[in-house]
């Protein structure tokens, strides 16, 4: 028998804490960066007939954060502040369908851009700023860029569209950040229900048969141009939905890339309710 998780429009603000840790490891070398932020999701107007509402997603970096010693990584950390205040229109099944107030987002980016341009030096700085300029310009494509954000991509997962047969659902999901390009994972989700929550556990793997030129170049750079075989890419974690609010109250996700040469990249992210 097929079951699904019912969707509810958000009625009260959600207070959450989001943490992320990204590590890269190979023989004789280890790099790690971590970030903690406070997330507030605030409901706005609701259209009864269309089944749509607007929400604000506000993120504030926790005081414990510190910038990376690597200028390129520190630049990325600061540039991500451009997405700290977003307004989405949410569709009937709980997924963002439109990024609103794009002109406001663009103006905030220009202010942050000036700070970054005055903070970092090198030929690479203007090149990176120009790349972000093109992505942040108000357009129909801006939401696609924004939704690649580590938090947003993991929080909004089409949960209410999923059909569970005997408590199991199989799907394909795209993740970002593990490699320079999007990675398509085949995942299995298992659903359990308690009096107060829907609890899901998932695991998956990349089943790509060929390595793209971009991915091959990136990995060879990480492993000092050693002979390359197809890497192993996996995912695992859990996802909890509150029956009271109808929205995600916590999750844990782990994404791992391993090559035969011993290079490993891991992304660990965690969301909890305050």
């Amino acid at each position: 028998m097929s079951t699904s998780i019912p969707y509810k429009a958000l009625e009260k603000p959600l207070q959450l804490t989001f943490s992320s840790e990204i590590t890269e490891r190979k023989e004789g070398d280890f790099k790690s960066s971590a970030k903690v932020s406070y997330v507030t999701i605030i409901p706005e107007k609701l259209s009864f007939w269309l089944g749509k509402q607007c929400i604000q997603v506000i993120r504030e970096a926790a005081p414990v954060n510190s910038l990376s010693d690597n200028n390129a990584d520190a630049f990325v950390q600061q540039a991500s502040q451009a997405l700290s205040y977003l307004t989405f229109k949410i569709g009937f099944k709980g997924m963002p369908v439109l990024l609103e107030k794009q002109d406001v987002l663009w103006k905030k980016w220009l202010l942050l851009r000036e700070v970054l341009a005055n903070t970092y030096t090198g030929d690479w700085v203007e090149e990176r700023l120009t790349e972000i300029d093109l992505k942040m310009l108000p357009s129909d494509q801006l939401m696609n860029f924004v939704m690649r954000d580590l938090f947003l991509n993991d929080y909004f997962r089409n949960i209410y569209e999923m059909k569970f047969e005997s408590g199991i659902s199989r799907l394909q999901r795209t993740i970002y950040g593990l490699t320079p390009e999007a990675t398509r994972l085949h995942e299995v989700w298992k659903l359990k229900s308690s009096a107060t929550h829907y609890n899901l556990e998932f695991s998956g793997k990349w089943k790509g048969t060929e390595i793209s030129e971009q991915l091959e170049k990136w990995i060879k750079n990480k492993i000092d141009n050693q002979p390359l075989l197809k890497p192993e890419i996996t995912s695992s974690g859990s996802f909890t939905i509150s029956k009271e609010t109808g929205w995600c109250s916590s999750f844990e996700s782990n994404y791992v890339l391993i090559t035969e040469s011993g290079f490993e990249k891991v992304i660990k992210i965690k969301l909890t309710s305050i």
Side-chain angles (χ1 to χ4, degrees):
M1 182 177 178
S2 177
T3 59
S4 60
I5 299 172
Y7 170 68
K8 294 181 182 180
L10 187 62
E11 296 180 356
K12 297 179 181 179
L14 300 176
Q15 301 286 341
L16 309 159
T17 299
F18 176 73
S19 63
S20 62
E21 181 183 10
I22 302 175
T23 59
E24 291 186 4
R25 184 194 311 270
K26 63 180 179 181
E27 186 175 351
D29 189 24
F30 176 80
K31 292 198 307 181
S32 178
S33 63
K35 184 176 180 180
V36 178
S37 58
Y38 302 123
V39 182
T40 304
I41 302 179
I42 302 174
E44 292 188 341
K45 59 189 177 183
L46 172 66
S47 169
F48 176 79
W49 296 109
L50 295 178
K52 296 178 180 177
Q53 75 172 152
C54 287
I55 62 166
Q56 295 178 5
V57 180
I58 303 169
R59 284 177 285 177
E60 179 183 359
V64 296
N65 288 325
S66 60
L67 291 177
S68 170
D69 293 333
N70 181 292
N71 273 353
D73 291 340
F75 175 92
V76 171
Q77 284 179 256
Q78 289 189 276
S80 67
Q81 295 174 21
L83 305 182
S84 62
Y85 194 108
L86 302 169
T87 300
F88 292 106
K89 182 175 287 184
I90 300 296
F92 190 69
K93 287 293 186 178
M95 287 293 290
V97 295
L98 183 67
L99 177 62
E100 299 198 328
K101 302 180 181 179
Q102 293 190 15
D103 56 333
V104 175
L105 192 61
W106 173 249
K107 291 176 182 177
K108 289 184 176 181
W109 160 245
L110 292 180
L111 293 174
L112 178 59
R113 187 192 201 281
E114 185 175 355
V115 173
L116 293 170
N118 291 331
T119 302
Y120 298 94
T121 58
D123 296 338
W124 61 274
V125 177
E126 187 59 35
E127 182 179 344
R128 293 301 303 274
L129 289 172
T130 301
E131 287 178 3
I132 301 175
D133 285 342
L134 296 174
K135 293 175 180 177
M136 291 293 290
L137 276 171
S139 71
D140 293 340
Q141 298 303 312
L142 179 56
M143 193 176 83
N144 291 333
F145 165 64
V146 167
M147 291 305 294
R148 296 185 179 193
D149 172 80
L150 202 58
F151 165 73
L152 296 173
N153 185 251
D154 258 55
Y155 191 83
F156 295 102
R157 303 199 204 184
N158 276 320
I159 291 298
Y160 310 100
E161 294 279 6
M162 294 167 62
K163 303 297 182 184
F164 294 87
E165 301 290 342
S166 300
I168 295 176
S169 183
R170 290 176 170 82
L171 68 149
Q172 295 186 47
R173 189 163 64 91
T174 301
I175 65 166
Y176 303 91
L178 197 60
T179 74
E181 59 188 17
T183 304
R184 193 77 166 167
L185 298 177
H186 296 255
E187 293 185 334
V188 177
W189 287 63
K190 297 179 181 179
L191 171 65
K192 294 182 180 180
S193 179
S194 69
T196 57
H197 293 86
Y198 295 101
N199 301 293
L200 302 105
E201 293 185 354
F202 67 91
S203 61
K205 62 175 60 177
W206 178 61
K207 295 183 178 180
T209 56
E210 296 183 1
I211 304 176
S212 70
E213 183 177 342
Q214 183 182 21
L215 180 59
E216 181 177 16
K217 182 179 179 181
W218 178 79
I219 293 178
K220 280 191 173 182
N221 179 61
K222 297 292 183 180
I223 60 177
D224 302 323
N225 287 313
Q226 297 178 34
L228 177 65
L229 296 176
K230 189 179 74 170
E232 178 184 350
I233 302 175
T234 59
S235 65
S236 63
S238 61
F239 198 88
T240 301
I241 298 172
S242 165
K243 289 187 175 180
E244 179 184 3
T245 66
W247 284 57
C248 174
S249 58
S250 66
F251 67 66
E252 291 188 30
S253 297
N254 301 288
Y255 304 110
V256 181
L257 179 150
I258 300 175
T259 69
E260 274 207 348
S261 65
F263 171 71
E264 176 184 88
K265 181 174 181 180
V266 179
I267 297 178
K268 294 182 178 181
I269 61 178
K270 184 175 183 179
L271 180 79
T272 56
S273 295
I274 298 178

